[in-house]
Amino acid sequence: MSRANVFFGLVARILATPAIAFALGIGIPGLAAYGLLQHNAERETQEKAVMLSATLDAVQRYAEVDVAAALSKDPDASHIATASHAIRKVMEGIEKSGKTLPYRFRIVSNDPTNSINKADPYESKLVTAFSADPKLKQVQGEYVGKDGRYQVIAKPITANSGRCLSCHSSAKTAPAARVKHFPGKGGYGWKKGQVVGATVLYVPADGAYYQAAAIFRTVLRMVAVLCLCCIALMFWQANRCIARPINRMLRTSQAIRRGEWGARYHVRFPDEIGALANSFQDTTLWLREQVAKEEKLRSLFQQFIPASVAAKTLGKDSDEVMMGTSHSCSVMIINIRNFKLLMQHLPPEQTVTTLNEFFAEVNKVILEHKGIVSKYLGDTVMAFFGVMIDDPSHALNAVKAAMAMPRALQDLYVRLDEKHGWELGVGIGISTGEPIIGHFGSSEHMEFTVLGDVVVHAHQLEKITKSAPEEDTIVISEATYRLVMSDVHVFDLGEKPAGDGVMVQAYAVQGLRSEIRKSMAA
């Protein structure tokens, strides 16, 4: 993964939650603000409509009271003394002046005298509603037409005055000037108290809504610019204080993983990342010391226990290692013949050197045959076969290891014989059984060994070898012989005294049957 991807991924994860919270914090109030602006636009339009309606009502009252009183003496002029005529003339005057009215006012009827007062489908519903409910004095609401959205205030027109009834009761009773001016058949048959039409005031609302939306868009753009600036600042700060320090820590850890223990992270800012880096480097130094100690301990451990056994043991939990077991294995006891010659005639340092050379060869042979050396007891070596490593042929491997000892020690024998005239040899006792296997001792010193009769028998068999005339003698127990009888040729020694009145069945190893057959065939 590239560093850029690492940076953007890290920053995205860090800023994701604040960005969502910020978006919600801006979005929800923004929607509320938009709703308030729209509501204010609606209220503004309604207030304007109410104000204009009140103005038109005043004009209407003036036309119906003052102007009508002045013209009441002229019957032929009665058709111009109506409110609709007065308002229409006012509107026509404004339109002729070239100005656009901020509203539209109509006096409508389902059966008008003047065709321009014919109600459209929406207005017809208003008139019908007023006719159906005489108590309904006003309808106020929103109307959406083909040319836009309007706030509407509608009021009923009721035929109450005698002047209205005199003109609209029938064509026969109506003034001649009115009939001549409006020759149509509509606008007659009115009765007192009847709702005959409605005044409808249309106040355009789109302008107010558009203005509210424009204000919201302006504020939104300003907030968006501020948000982008904040996000850019956050990205820069996150890169400076988080991403770049973490990338440097990553490079430092990769260098340490490559074995460059001297790699250091240089803290530039005394912040949390710097404290983490210092802790990381202190932990790295501590781990380096622990690894060095463990490697030294492993090296020291493998000086006493075979590498395969050590690896298997070090890979276990401490409780599992300390837990004792019991299974079939073979125990070998090796003793140096004429060891007293070394002690009596060699200086201590040469004695130690000679013994270590002897032990090195013995240990090498044992390891080659899947065994482990348990301990060195002066001139005696104790070894196990089939203890830590699962080996069904542990008895045969023990016998083969014993037979390989003289060949491995031949050079040492020859040098000591030529230099001092000593004839050294080994006596080897091998026994097989199921002892208790485990680590024994205290917390200060532990020893891996086996406990049981099989160890005693191996010592007893080693003692029996001292009565044999040969320098190198291998004696095995009956249990061992049963496991190797098809592969090993032995001489039955019978029951031999092993000290303390104990008699032990012993077998002296003569060689492998395969090798004996080859020599006889030759």
Side-chain angles (χ1 to χ4, degrees), residues 109 111-117 167-168 178 181-188 190:
S109 175
D111 184 26
T113 301
N114 192 347
S115 60
I116 63 174
N117 294 331
C167 294
H168 294 279
R178 182 190 180 283
H181 192 75
F182 301 107
K185 298 181 179 181
Y188 297 105
W190 293 5

Side-chain angles (χ1 to χ4, degrees), residues 376-419:
Y376 302 104
L377 302 172
D379 60 344
T380 301
V381 180
M382 183 166 69
F384 307 141
F385 293 82
V387 174
M388 293 295 293
I389 301 175
D390 187 17
D391 181 16
S393 302
H394 55 81
L396 181 59
N397 285 328
V399 173
K400 288 182 178 180
M403 295 175 61
M405 292 292 179
R407 292 192 300 271
L409 297 170
Q410 189 64 36
D411 290 341
L412 179 62
Y413 288 170
V414 172
R415 282 190 284 107
L416 292 175
D417 187 18
E418 291 177 350
K419 188 174 182 179

Side-chain angles (χ1 to χ4, degrees), residues 346-357:
L346 290 178
E349 63 273 10
Q350 291 188 22
T351 301
V352 172
T353 301
T354 303
L355 278 176
N356 285 339
E357 186 176 353

